[in-house]
Amino acid sequence: MASSASESSQSKPVIGLTSYLEPAKFLVWDTEAVLLHRVYVDCVVAAGGIPVLLPPVSDAHERLVSTVDGLVLTGGADVEPGRYGAEPHPATYVRPERDAFEFGLFAAARRAGKPVLGVCRGLQVMSVALGGTLTQHLPETQGTTDHQPAPATFGRGTVTLAEGSRAAAILGPETKTLCYHHQAIDRLGTGLEAVGWAADGTIEAAEVPGEFVLGVQWHPEQDSDDVRLFQALVEASKETR
């Protein structure tokens, strides 16, 4: 029985999840912490993967990518606008160390042919890394706060997905979403194709044709009853082992 359980574990792909480096309070401590919302981890487990947190404190991108079978670029702070030639908006908040870490991981993962799923910030990292630009504050350009209604409050919406895309093959022609973003794709990075849109036209999903490089602007980890995106990543990751 133990041997069978061990073999089952050995067959599961290891999924690296990028994480935050932030001041945090827990138990008796008030300190810097490496952390990530547990729902990401739970979704990877439910999808059949083994989650491993990747803290933004290393430049050993190739080595880190070699230890995982797939990569999730998780949500978080805004990408530093200087990376796409813009001045920061007053509402923009950044974590440059995390940018450097995740841009390096993303490049290494593509060189290694490892599948990548980008969530919210993760999609923006992908696009900017490939030469794209961002709209820094949607309430000014769209005239609505629907994408980020209030602090720690997710907006609800429906995303239409392009027929024939990887995203549509996973989720169908449309999907209900929970989103929390005040920035969005302006010009897509080279090689990415827009494959999902909100009702107001905001790009909500993009992918690289022929590769498992898929980013979504919403937060699929917030719906624990629907782990299809994570299952797709896990299945693709089995092929890279």
Side-chain angles (χ1 to χ4, degrees):
M1 194 68 145
S3 174
S4 176
S6 175
E7 289 172 4
S8 177
S9 295
Q10 290 295 326
S11 68
K12 294 181 177 181
V14 175
I15 306 298
L17 299 127
T18 59
S19 54
Y20 296 66
L21 183 61
E22 299 286 345
K25 293 183 179 181
F26 54 98
L27 299 176
V28 299
W29 309 111
D30 184 350
T31 184
E32 285 274 306
V34 172
L35 47 85
L36 183 66
H37 306 78
R38 177 174 171 168
V39 284
Y40 283 102
V41 172
D42 289 342
C43 284
V44 170
V45 172
I50 299 172
V52 174
L53 298 193
L54 304 176
V57 295
S58 172
D59 61 1
H61 307 122
E62 306 285 348
R63 180 72 179 93
L64 287 171
V65 164
S66 75
T67 67
V68 301
D69 303 304
L71 177 66
V72 180
L73 298 173
T74 64
D78 301 323
V79 175
E80 208 288 309
R83 286 185 173 268
Y84 51 93
E87 293 296 319
H89 184 280
T92 296
Y93 69 103
V94 300
R95 297 292 185 270
E97 299 87 353
R98 188 172 172 190
D99 290 349
F101 179 67
E102 293 185 355
F103 276 60
L105 278 185
F106 179 53
R110 292 199 73 202
R111 286 192 292 270
K114 301 288 177 78
V116 184
L117 173 64
V119 173
C120 197
R121 165 190 160 87
L123 168 60
Q124 296 171 10
V125 166
M126 289 177 173
S127 188
V128 175
L130 295 174
T133 62
L134 301 177
T135 296
Q136 290 191 55
H137 199 52
L138 284 173
E140 290 183 355
T141 59
Q142 301 292 76
T144 177
T145 59
D146 289 351
H147 295 277
Q148 191 182 74
T153 301
F154 288 90
R156 295 182 178 273
T158 300
V159 169
T160 302
L161 297 166
E163 183 179 358
S165 66
R166 182 183 297 275
I170 297 167
L171 299 172
E174 68 175 35
T175 187
K176 301 296 183 182
T177 62
L178 292 167
C179 62
Y180 190 78
H181 61 101
H182 78 111
Q183 300 197 343
I185 300 296
D186 180 16
R187 185 185 72 242
L188 270 172
T190 302
L192 280 170
E193 290 187 2
V195 296
W197 300 267
D200 63 6
T202 300
I203 295 174
E204 290 282 332
E207 61 188 51
V208 176
E211 300 178 37
F212 197 112
V213 176
L214 168 62
V216 298
Q217 190 63 78
W218 70 90
H219 282 272
E221 81 285 356
Q222 294 297 321
D223 184 359
S224 59
D225 293 328
D226 183 358
V227 296
R228 288 176 292 171
L229 284 170
F230 294 94
Q231 287 174 328
L233 177 72
V234 165
E235 288 305 310
S237 298
K238 291 177 181 178
E239 301 174 8
T240 69
R241 305 180 71 189

